[in-house]
Amino acid sequence: MAYIAAIDQGTTSSRCIVFDASGGIVSVAQREHRQIFPRPGLVEHDATEIWANVRAVVRDALAQASLSHADIAAFGITNQRETTVVWDRETGEPVHNAIVWQDMRTDALIKQLDGDLFRERSGLPPATYFSGPKLRWLLDHVDGLRARAERGEVLFGTMDTWLIWNLTGRHVTDVTNASRTMLMNLETLDWDPELVAAMGVPPAVLPEIRSSAEVYGTHEGVPVASALGDQQAALFGQTCFAPGEGKCTYGTGAFLLVNTGDQPVRSANGLLTTVAYRIGEEPAAYALEGAIAVTGALVQWFRDKVGLISSAAEIETLARTVDDNGGAYFVPAFSGLFAPHWRSDARGVIAGLTGYISRGHLARAVLEASAWQTREVVDAMNADSGVDLTTLRVDGGMTANNLLMQFLADVLDVPVVRPIVAETTCLGAAYAAGLAVGYWPSAEALKANWHKAAEWEPSMEPAARDRGYRKWKKAVERTVGWMDEDDD
Amino acid sequence: MGCVPGPIQSIHRAAEVLKLLAHGGAHQLSVGEIARALDLAKPTVHGILRTLQEVGFVEQEVEGGKYRLGAALFQIGTSYLDGNELRAKALNWSDSLAMRAREAVRIGVMHGRHVLVVHHVFRPDNSRQALETGALLPWHATALGKVLVAFGEWPDGELRAFTRHTLDAAALAAAVDEVRDRDWAYDLHELVEGEASVAAPIRDRRGVVVGAVGISGPVERLCESPDRPPRLELVSYVREAARSVSRELGGLSW
């Protein structure tokens, strides 16, 4: 019983990482699944394929380290958030492809919802992003589904629920995933009857809401002992257990979460109020979340669609051919702006273009966009919490970009710190599962595993920072209101 | 100082020929086709092609046939590995190395006469440390540098003695030979009195050494005694990390 296995069911792939007691990685297995694009703006996954991949990566990760199920003290689960699946209770067959978090098909639906009611009770503004509207869409569009749902013949779940049901036979979700549906009441941590009714969802399809760390059941004799949405798992993996501690994960998008303790904090500045985690019977910890839609995705776009670089890492090389952005600012509002603006009518701009601008300047502007967007979210976070962030803990693939990390410290004017284990999402799921089965004695013990791998100190002149931020804000102003009623 | 050299016509023309072969849709052209495209006399083009063929920059399928770009050219084009790319690929493995060895990790590449630090992971004890990414180290007094020179070229320039243990040219030549045999290097008090380092080569898919990864720290922690080479357990961690990064470079790029 020497190890913990974390299952990370992500947007593009499923992974299994086996950890030892020091939080060190023992083995890793990964399989990608198909991205199904029925139309522009629509993204689906095949939940059956994902379940097959999850079984395969667990098998592969154990085999790589010559382990059997008997060597595993617990499974932990972390997952892409908000992605929605409905399946037949008897056969286990999904009734439709899973609707992925990026999917925008519920755009018309969310405009009909009472924004104030949902914001007040669930902490979320109506947006296509969340799972409740996706469930409603399925009920409205899959033949006969509403009637079957009312008879209790089908079950709804996000990917955590889908996996736990397949692994253990129980229909449950954890508080962090439930807090992304727009249907959970942040105070009671249970389904809110009024929100459920307003969304038009039969209560019989909803899973039971449980803690993030408890034994939900067993699979091959191994306890399945944690479930956390991916960003909450990263917060937990960074051991941000005290109010005011937070992290920002840089992947396709970026997600800044700050622990606000045992009380939900309502945002007046465009942040989401969400559940950070709940360990066993302890009170839940809440978080404020700043979600940025496009960070790493802009570098990928620059590589794949513009073709000035052949790998993501090369953007730093290109950016270093010049000393600054030459006055160019790139706001990547590819599908509108997320936090703190929440403007779906915005589209991207490159502002400040002159004949002087070279590809090196554009590469700088691409990288700086991630930092300026983080600055906007940190400002909102500071305003909502009344306390200024003193350091930013970062993780994710973009932390390999030294120029970006230095620029981030410069524009935030606080040190930026990277921990030594970059796989914080899986680590968080493993930590929660390990706590649930007593593999680790306490959250405090986990803090001893956290070590600083790198730190970037701010070194920018205040005047330059202020001027840059002013220009960035002007560039953002130029993105909003681009889309018209008759645009698709 | 002599006069400022002007462009050399034959090199200029050779470059035009290579560009044409790189962009000509068929990628294979005859002497006549090249001569017409560049508006040059056929014997001139023939002479250029013969020289390029000797150095492997162009090749022919059959004697007297059409010309295409040669293999040597592609090797030159790809032997340069972006330091930022190396850091991105090495991130997980250098973290693991720092955790196992409990020491600071650096990844270096040659930059003129110096070792350029392209990646630095702090010693995992949460003490105050400054990020050294972008710093230059003397090659002859570091394990990283000895590895890079053992599998690369001996740079010109003076070998400054930093301590009384810094090796002179003769001792260094012998040490570098040994590195080539053992496939790892160390330094003992050679840069800073009381400090040691261990490093091993990172190879790309063709087996070319494109960087070195290593740990450094006080001799009390790295060595059994102050005058003995670093402990083999630490050497094995370093070599394992180097192999893992090398494996990563042989795979598909993300």
Side-chain angles (χ1 to χ4, degrees), chain A residues 173-292:
Chain A
T173 186
D174 96 294
V175 276
T176 68
N177 279 293
S179 78
R180 315 296 292 185
T181 56
M182 292 176 61
L183 302 176
M184 190 187 82
N185 186 308
L186 277 177
E187 306 286 342
T188 65
L189 299 180
D190 205 346
W191 303 117
D192 185 299
E194 273 183 65
L195 295 183
V196 172
M199 192 68 78
V201 168
V205 301
L206 300 173
E208 183 187 349
I209 301 176
R210 305 295 313 176
S211 273
S212 315
E214 67 171 51
V215 178
Y216 307 119
T218 60
H219 176 72
E220 305 278 346
V222 180
V224 177
S226 77
L228 290 146
D230 51 13
Q231 296 306 324
Q232 281 89 343
L235 184 76
F236 204 73
Q238 285 258 29
T239 66
C240 295
F241 303 142
E245 291 182 336
K247 64 87 208 177
C248 193
T249 302
Y250 290 89
T252 308
F255 297 86
L256 176 67
L257 272 75
V258 173
N259 188 325
T260 60
D262 58 9
Q263 292 302 319
V265 174
R266 308 290 167 168
S267 175
N269 296 284
L271 303 176
L272 309 176
T273 308
T274 199
V275 180
Y277 54 86
R278 184 175 179 213
I279 303 303
E281 295 303 309
E282 290 172 29
Y286 293 86
L288 276 172
E289 170 175 323
I292 302 167

Side-chain angles (χ1 to χ4, degrees), chain B residues 110-174:
Chain B
M110 279 315 273
H111 183 80
R113 294 172 39 217
H114 299 280
V115 176
L116 172 68
V117 178
V118 297
H119 186 44
H120 174 201
V121 183
F122 289 172
R123 185 176 59 251
D125 60 6
N126 295 341
S127 64
R128 199 168 170 78
Q129 297 164 66
L131 201 60
E132 283 175 22
T133 306
L136 295 173
L137 301 173
W139 77 267
H140 66 284
T142 56
L144 290 173
K146 288 182 201 173
V147 165
L148 294 168
V149 168
F151 298 102
E153 277 175 39
W154 187 288
D156 294 333
E158 184 209 355
L159 303 171
R160 186 181 146 200
F162 295 96
T163 70
R164 61 200 172 85
H165 298 279
T166 308
L167 305 183
D168 60 23
L172 202 51

